[in-house]
Amino acid sequence: QVHLVESGGGLVQPGGSLTLSCGASGISFSFYTVAWYCQAPGRQRDLVASLSGGGTTNYADSVKGRFAISRDNAKKTMFLQMNSLKPEDTAVYYCNARLVGSSRTNDFWGQGTQVTVSS
């Protein structure tokens, strides 16, 4: 059984920092592309950052230079370092692990963690 468990969300003032973590179990983690998505109330779930098994990263324009995605394959954990946070970063953040195969795609999600940026 596959589990992705997030931690690290909370309330932070504008300009502050948070680090989100997501631990995975039940998958061959190193082969998966990992990603973080965010969803604000009334909005769709959007990609924040992704990191392939080969080390290729992709960031939403709104977070470039402020957020950094990383992974520790030995610990089956992904991270999102969030710096210079803005009120518009407020959302529920979800971790994702995806493996695209020749015949099917494995796609797993965490339960979400709330990030609130407010003074």
Side-chain angles (χ1 to χ4, degrees):
Q1 193 170 6
V2 179
H3 293 284
L4 298 182
V5 180
E6 299 150 359
S7 60
L11 173 65
V12 63
Q13 292 187 342
S17 297
L18 278 177
T19 301
L20 306 182
S21 301
C22 177
S25 60
I27 59 173
S28 297
F29 183 79
S30 62
F31 294 106
Y32 279 69
T33 291
V34 297
W36 291 92
Y37 288 75
C38 68
Q39 187 168 21
R43 300 189 64 176
Q44 67 182 17
R45 191 173 296 187
D46 292 323
L47 177 69
V48 176
S50 65
L51 172 60
S52 72
T56 300
T57 57
N58 182 43
Y59 292 93
D61 288 342
S62 61
V63 306
K64 284 180 180 176
R66 299 190 298 123
F67 291 10
I69 187 171
S70 61
R71 65 194 297 165
D72 184 334
N73 288 334
K75 296 183 178 179
K76 295 189 174 183
T77 302
M78 67 183 87
F79 305 95
L80 185 68
Q81 176 66 44
M82 310 166 69
N83 299 321
S84 302
L85 282 159
K86 304 175 181 180
E88 51 263 43
D89 295 319
T90 296
V92 178
Y93 284 73
Y94 297 89
C95 61
N96 171 262
R98 180 174 299 156
L99 181 63
V100 178
S102 58
S103 59
R104 70 176 191 179
T105 295
N106 292 339
D107 200 19
F108 303 108
W109 294 89
Q111 80 283 1
T113 186
Q114 177 70 46
V115 172
T116 302
V117 185
S118 175
S119 55

